[in-house]
Amino acid sequence: MHRSMENRMSFDPQHILCAVDFSPPSEAVVHAGHLLAQAFDARLSVFHAVTASHDPYPGTAIFERGGAQGDFMAAARRNLNELTAPLHQVAAIVAAGDPVDGLSDCIRATGAGLVVAARHGWTGIQRVLLGSVVERMARRLTTPLLVVGRTRKHSSDKPPFQKVVMACKTLAPRDPVLTVAAAIARRFDAGLYLLHAMERPVRPDILEPTNGPYGQVQASLQDRLRQEMEGKLRATVGDLGVSVDLTPGPAAEALPGYIARRQADLLVVGVRHHHRLAQLLVGSTTEAALRHAACAVLTVPTSMTREETPGKRWPR
């Protein structure tokens, strides 16, 4: 292991938490968490929240009768044990209540440094009103969140992540998106690709001016900007294989096609946390990636507001 690079790249989760709901993608979630736990030599836990029964209308809870929740909790523990049976030394955690609230409490209590979940949830008007569970996780959680799709678990004969794409605006050595993307790429010996979406033309005063037709000048400036960014990226991540690509337009529009062209296995994007009202209303490149990316998506908090919520004690 490259110790000097390990010191610079500080993403090194010691505890990984898989959030499952026993839907078909749950097996892929646990499998991805297991591979990451092996790569980072981390502990692995699997979390499930038992929510109240609901009417067909979203958000309308049915009053519990006859201790049904206790039965649901016991059934969830049995399902977790069955799901994790092929693995060793995996903690099973069951909570009651909202899955995102319970997961947030669990992260604070256990010190988990990475969460793995599946991409599914509300659709249609329900998504518009409430958002999917995984989108709420991305908005709320203070740890990186890996979201896997509805695919079968990865073949064991090759690394799960061979091409890692990241979308970030800066290349500062301590940028959290770069830190996490580089750590994942290093652990799995993957190539690292940066997509820099340009919503405006390159300003000639940023680099040395070039005379010529506007289109030719822009092409020259973009190529030089790409070379500079690639040099900064190599200087930050060392001996990782890296590539920088520039594309016009918003990142949300460019990412799906770029992921397809690069045949990426993982997209790493930042998510900026806001107050609760903004969490419900604000769209972002991250949300577009979670809904449409044809690969796993790893969201990384870049800034957040603190919420003073009492923690709970969970098994470690």
Side-chain angles (χ1 to χ4, degrees):
M1 189 63 62
H2 305 269
R3 292 299 176 187
S4 60
M5 186 57 58
E6 285 293 312
N7 292 335
R8 281 193 285 170
M9 297 301 170
S10 59
F11 179 67
D12 187 17
Q14 299 301 299
H15 185 190
I16 294 173
L17 193 59
C18 294
V20 300
D21 61 0
F22 306 128
S23 61
S26 294
E27 184 181 357
V29 170
V30 174
H31 182 70
H34 177 60
L35 291 176
L36 286 161
Q38 288 183 318
F40 285 97
D41 193 22
R43 292 180 293 122
L44 180 65
S45 297
V46 182
F47 171 90
H48 174 75
V50 176
T51 57
S53 299
H54 284 73
D55 279 332
Y57 301 99
T60 307
I62 299 175
F63 183 76
E64 182 186 357
R65 297 179 178 86
Q69 188 178 72
D71 295 336
F72 292 150
M73 296 279 283
R77 292 189 183 94
R78 290 194 297 270
N79 290 336
L80 281 182
N81 290 334
E82 181 179 347
L83 185 63
T84 59
L87 308 178
H88 300 285
Q89 297 181 335
V90 179
I93 304 174
V94 179
D98 179 81
V100 181
D101 290 341
L103 189 58
S104 297
D105 290 341
C106 186
I107 290 169
R108 283 192 290 271
T110 62
L114 174 65
V115 174
V116 186
R119 183 187 310 164
H120 55 74
W122 299 110
T123 58
I125 189 63
Q126 293 173 338
R127 178 190 287 275
V128 172
L129 294 176
L130 299 177
S132 74
V133 172
V134 76
E135 287 169 13
R136 289 175 57 212
M137 289 180 184
R139 296 185 186 107
R140 287 275 307 279
L141 300 186
T142 58
T143 59
L145 169 68
L146 173 65
V147 181
V148 300
R150 303 182 185 184
T151 57
R152 60 185 178 181
K153 65 182 183 180
H154 200 280
S155 173
S156 60
D157 60 353
K158 60 180 181 180
F161 305 125
Q162 296 179 293
K163 294 183 179 180
V164 177
V165 168
M166 64 176 182
C168 61
K169 295 182 179 180
T170 66
L171 280 177
R174 296 183 180 276
D175 182 274
V177 177
L178 173 57
T179 296
V180 173
I184 294 290
R186 184 168 298 283
R187 295 284 178 164
F188 292 97
D189 195 24
L192 184 61
Y193 302 86
L194 169 65
L195 175 65
H196 180 68
M198 300 181 303
E199 299 187 24
R200 298 181 180 86
V202 181
R203 289 167 47 192
D205 59 320
I206 295 178
L207 300 173
E208 182 181 347
T210 302
N211 296 322
Y214 178 80
Q216 181 180 339
V217 169
Q218 278 296 306
S220 176
L221 290 173
Q222 289 177 20
D223 185 60
R224 290 159 61 187
L225 177 60
R226 181 192 60 77
Q227 292 180 28
E228 286 196 7
M229 294 181 70
E230 200 166 274
K232 291 181 180 179
L233 184 58
R234 286 199 177 95
T236 302
V237 303
D239 58 345
L240 281 177
V242 300
S243 179
V244 174
D245 294 290
L246 277 62
T247 184
E253 296 178 5
L255 277 171
Y258 184 76
I259 290 170
R261 290 194 301 274
R262 284 295 187 185
Q263 297 182 322
D265 306 296
L266 177 66
L267 168 65
V268 185
V269 292
V271 55
R272 182 177 295 275
H273 288 184
H274 303 278
H275 57 78
R276 288 186 180 273
L277 178 61
Q279 289 174 12
L280 294 175
L281 300 178
V282 174
S284 68
T285 300
T286 301
E287 289 181 356
L290 289 173
R291 297 181 186 186
H292 304 300
C295 66
V297 178
L298 180 58
T299 67
V300 181
T302 57
S303 66
M304 65 199 72
T305 57
R306 293 184 178 180
E307 296 181 10
E308 298 298 332
T309 304
K312 299 180 181 179
R313 294 193 63 83
W314 303 86
R316 291 180 176 267

